[in-house]
Structure formats: C-alpha cells, structure tokens
Amino acid sequence: MNQEQAAAGQLKLEAFIRRRIAEAGGITFAEYMGHCLYHPEYGYYMAPRERIGKGGDFFTSSSVHSLFGRLVGRQFLQMGELLGGDGFTVAEQGAGEGHLALDILDALAEESPEFYRTLRYRLVEISPDNRDRQERLLAAHRERVEWCTLDELQGMEGCFLSNELVDAFPVHLVEKRDGALLEVFVVSEGDGFAEELRAPSTPDIAGRFTGLGMELAEGNRAEVNLESTRWMRRVGGLLGRGFVLTIDYGYPAAELYSPLRRSGTLLCYHRHRTSEDPLRNVGLQDITAHVDFTSLQNSGEEAGLDSLYFGHQYQFLLGLGFVEGLLQLQARETDEKRARALRLTLKNLIMPDGGMGETFKALVQGKGVGRPQLLCSRSIGDISLPAGMF
C-alpha cells in the first residue's frame, strides 16, 4: 500500500466512524478501536501494509530472532510427549505474517522429524493480507499447515498458541471521577474526534473490578478488556485436551490497576514511534493495551483450564534452554563482529530490564493433563549467562 492509498483509506475509515457516531450519538472507545484495527477494508490489521520489522511500525519477539520459535517448539515437543497419541495440533491465532510458525516448524523439522511428521499446524486468521503473507512464507511446510476458523478447532488436542494477540483486542477505557466509574466515548469534533465521559455502556465493566476484588483509584484511567475473557472462555471450551500458551505484554491485575498507574497502558505504534493519542492516524497505527493476566487465568478456570505456569518471558525462555541455544548459535559464527551482533540481538528477548524479557509474560494453562512439570518452568536459579556474553 502506497501513501496515497493509505491516505484514501484513512479518509474512508474516518467517514465510516463518523457515520457510526452520528447513528449512535457517540460510540464507546472499544467500538472505535475495533473499527480502527479490524474494519474489513480499512482497518490497520486488515488492509495490505507493512506492520512488523524495520519497514513497519513495531517489532515482535518472533521478529527479533528465530531462536524464540525454536524454544517454543521445544515446549510443544514436551507437550506432545505428555499427551501421547499419534498426532499433536498447534493452533495459532493471530499469527501475523507467520514468522513464529515458520521458526517453530523449521526447528521441529530439523530437531524432531518424527514429531514434525505427525504435527498439524492450524492457523486462525481473519486478515486476508496476513493470510496471503502466511501462505507464501509457509509454502515449504504446506503439508503440515492449514487455515481454519475457531469453531473448526472444537475438540482439538494439542496446544492453542497466541503471541501478541490479546493486547490488540478492543478495550473499554474508564476513569474514576468523584467516586464514580465512567467510560470514555468517542464523539466527532470538527474534522477529528474527541473523548466524552459517560456512564458505562455495560455493567460488565464494573463487574470486572468487583470480580477482582479491586477498585480503580480516584482520578485514574484504565483499560478493561472484556473481549479477552470471552475469548479465553471460548478457547477453553474448544480445547478437548491439552494446553493454552499465551505470550503477551501485561501484568497481574494488582499491578495493572495499581494506584500508581495513573494513565493506564494504552499505546499506539506508528513507524516505530509510540504515542498515547489513538484519535489520530486513524487506521494507520497499531493500538494496544497491556493484558490483565489475572482475568485471563480466572476466565480460563471457568472453562476448565488449570494455570500451570506464569512468568516473565526471560524466565520462560531460560527454562526452555535459551543459554544453550545462544551458545550453539555463537559457536557457528566465526566472525566476532557478527557474533557480537547476534548476542546483542538476542539480548532483547531476555534481559529483565523493562524490555521484552520483563514486560512480556508467558501463561500456560492445561485441560485434562494434570499438573505436569513443564520444561519452561525449569528452575533458572542455576542458569547463568557466561561472563562477557552481553
């Protein structure tokens, strides 16, 4: 998509949203965000454009290095051994361009060919642009890969995977004013859009805080992702036996809704720059909010999912053998400059300094599998990075 096409799409999306506002007398921020990201023709994730990598708007863990997918593949291998049987299904929703799927499949084909031959990799994708990219990227694994809807996964045995999916679900924005919980609505203002605080559009918003046993602090703003818990209950209901692996950035509820977090976590990404203004660059920027992992765990339990593991991404990857994987990659690199570049690249995945390694979390839930000792939960107390590695 060139700049002229992007600008034309932006104008058409803005006109569509204005009509919705006129029809409804204002729309919730959740509806606005949904149109910006998922409008069938002009939404950020639906229209053809570069989203990931240097030429896009943001990086993901899977776009940093293939080692991320290789390590996730090792966890799938252990999950397959725990389940037994002749086949294992990985169902990935919101796979983007398919890089994580490619890295997982490449690694399993190389390291575990017998497991690979019985693997089914099923992709749930609503974006025609992303599906086209996935089909091209995964052509070498076409016998293992297929596309499906969520409903077609009913009764699956294996692991349901999502990586940076839930943070892009539309969220309701709320504020506490004079003791009352109010919701942000979007209205038209001149040539643009503006916010307006109103009574909540659904009692489920206040119900979220009640269910958590928490209250939003006076004057604070926060996001409530009602779609995430509906999604988790649905995924738990679809899974016959196996696991759910959710990787995303977020916090437990007590930290996400801390009185110290005055402005919430909503962020926009456009050309690798962040912004807190979702009412501009309509349809041209990503809009995200940090995930409430406590509510994901609670809704999973309602659908029969047991929480088996929850931790920072760096803990998750170290448990899966990050250090060993890095040393193997480094041993193959004969040029010291490239070896150092490799180390610095991989540092982004695991260093617990507020970056990907700490902000991103991994949640593993299970259904009908008992309480296994997962590979990712391996104690990292005895794991140390070799001196001078970074």
Side-chain angles (χ1 to χ4, degrees):
M1 176 186 291
N2 60 37
Q3 290 186 349
E4 287 185 5
Q5 291 171 321
Q10 179 183 13
L11 291 174
K12 290 178 180 178
L13 181 57
E14 288 176 344
F16 170 82
I17 293 174
R18 272 189 241 285
R19 288 195 297 273
R20 277 293 305 130
I21 290 173
E23 292 166 0
I27 59 176
T28 65
F29 180 81
E31 181 180 341
Y32 169 83
M33 181 174 171
H35 295 318
C36 288
L37 297 182
Y38 302 109
H39 184 279
E41 293 180 79
Y42 313 118
Y44 177 79
Y45 284 111
M46 307 300 279
R49 62 165 47 89
E50 293 295 325
R51 287 174 278 268
I52 302 171
K54 290 182 180 180
D57 299 304
F58 55 86
F59 290 101
T60 66
S61 294
S62 58
S63 69
V64 170
H65 196 276
S66 61
L67 180 59
F68 181 81
R70 184 173 292 269
L71 296 177
V72 172
R74 289 178 185 171
Q75 183 58 81
F76 289 154
L77 179 61
Q78 187 211 19
M79 289 174 173
E81 293 169 350
L82 291 168
L83 286 183
D86 297 328
F88 186 87
T89 296
V90 174
E92 183 180 1
Q93 183 176 357
E97 297 179 359
H99 290 289
L100 178 56
L102 178 65
D103 294 338
I104 292 170
L105 289 164
D106 280 348
L108 289 175
E110 175 189 339
E111 296 184 351
S112 309
E114 291 186 11
F115 180 69
Y116 172 82
R117 282 193 292 270
T118 62
L119 178 70
R120 297 179 71 194
Y121 206 107
R122 309 189 74 184
L123 292 160
V124 179
E125 182 57 64
I126 64 171
S127 167
D129 181 47
N130 276 339
R131 173 159 177 168
D132 288 343
R133 294 169 186 263
Q134 292 163 9
E135 288 181 341
R136 291 194 297 270
L137 191 68
L138 300 173
H141 299 285
R142 194 62 185 89
E143 291 186 2
R144 303 268 66 83
V145 177
E146 61 183 280
W147 285 260
C148 66
T149 66
L150 272 176
D151 289 339
E152 289 174 321
L153 295 172
Q154 186 67 53
M156 68 165 279
E157 294 196 0
C159 183
F160 189 100
L161 167 67
S162 69
N163 178 50
E164 295 189 59
L165 169 71
V166 182
D167 65 87
F169 286 171
V171 295
H172 295 264
L173 284 185
V174 295
E175 283 190 16
K176 191 72 166 289
R177 293 283 186 91
D178 298 324
L181 191 65
L182 301 174
E183 182 173 5
V184 173
F185 279 68
V186 177
V187 297
S188 296
E189 182 179 79
D191 294 332
F193 301 105
E195 295 182 355
E196 190 174 286
L197 290 176
R198 300 181 182 178
S201 59
T202 169
D204 292 342
I205 295 174
R208 170 63 56 82
F209 292 100
T210 301
L212 291 168
M214 303 176 62
E215 287 189 10
L216 193 63
E218 180 65 34
N220 278 21
R221 171 174 285 211
E223 306 86 25
V224 176
N225 193 335
L226 297 179
E227 180 61 29
S228 68
T229 48
R230 289 191 288 262
W231 170 81
M232 183 57 79
R233 285 191 289 268
R234 187 178 182 189
V235 169
L238 290 170
L239 186 66
R241 180 169 171 260
F243 305 87
V244 179
L245 170 56
T246 307
I247 303 171
D248 222 315
Y249 47 88
Y251 306 102
E255 188 174 353
L256 181 66
Y257 297 123
S258 164
L260 300 177
R261 200 175 301 283
R262 301 285 294 174
S263 302
T265 66
L266 194 81
L267 276 179
C268 306
Y269 294 86
H270 182 59
R271 296 177 181 173
H272 297 285
R273 294 182 179 179
T274 59
S275 161
E276 296 181 3
D277 185 0
L279 301 183
R280 59 193 295 267
N281 291 322
V282 177
L284 301 181
Q285 63 182 357
D286 193 16
I287 308 174
T288 73
H290 282 50
V291 174
D292 169 7
F293 277 98
T294 301
S295 292
L296 282 187
Q297 289 174 284
N298 291 344
S299 56
E301 289 174 3
E302 294 172 15
L305 297 172
D306 297 315
S307 292
L308 304 179
Y309 174 86
F310 177 63
H312 296 288
Q313 179 171 286
Y314 79 87
Q315 298 168 317
F316 175 76
L317 295 178
L318 287 173
L320 291 172
F322 176 89
V323 173
E324 297 92 326
L326 174 52
L327 292 175
Q328 289 172 1
L329 289 169
Q330 186 173 258
R332 300 173 190 168
E333 186 52 75
T334 56
D335 183 273
E336 177 52 34
K337 287 185 178 180
R338 288 199 295 267
R340 178 168 177 76
L342 171 69
R343 294 193 297 270
L344 292 176
T345 295
L346 291 174
K347 175 183 178 180
N348 294 317
L349 292 175
I350 62 129
M351 294 305 286
D353 56 1
M356 283 184 169
E358 185 174 45
T359 304
F360 281 76
K361 310 296 192 302
L363 170 63
V364 183
Q365 297 156 290
K367 185 176 183 180
V369 297
R371 296 278 180 175
Q373 186 70 29
L374 295 173
L375 187 61
C376 65
S377 65
R378 183 166 61 113
S379 172
I380 63 172
D382 297 327
I383 299 175
S384 60
L385 299 175
M389 177 170 285
F390 295 128

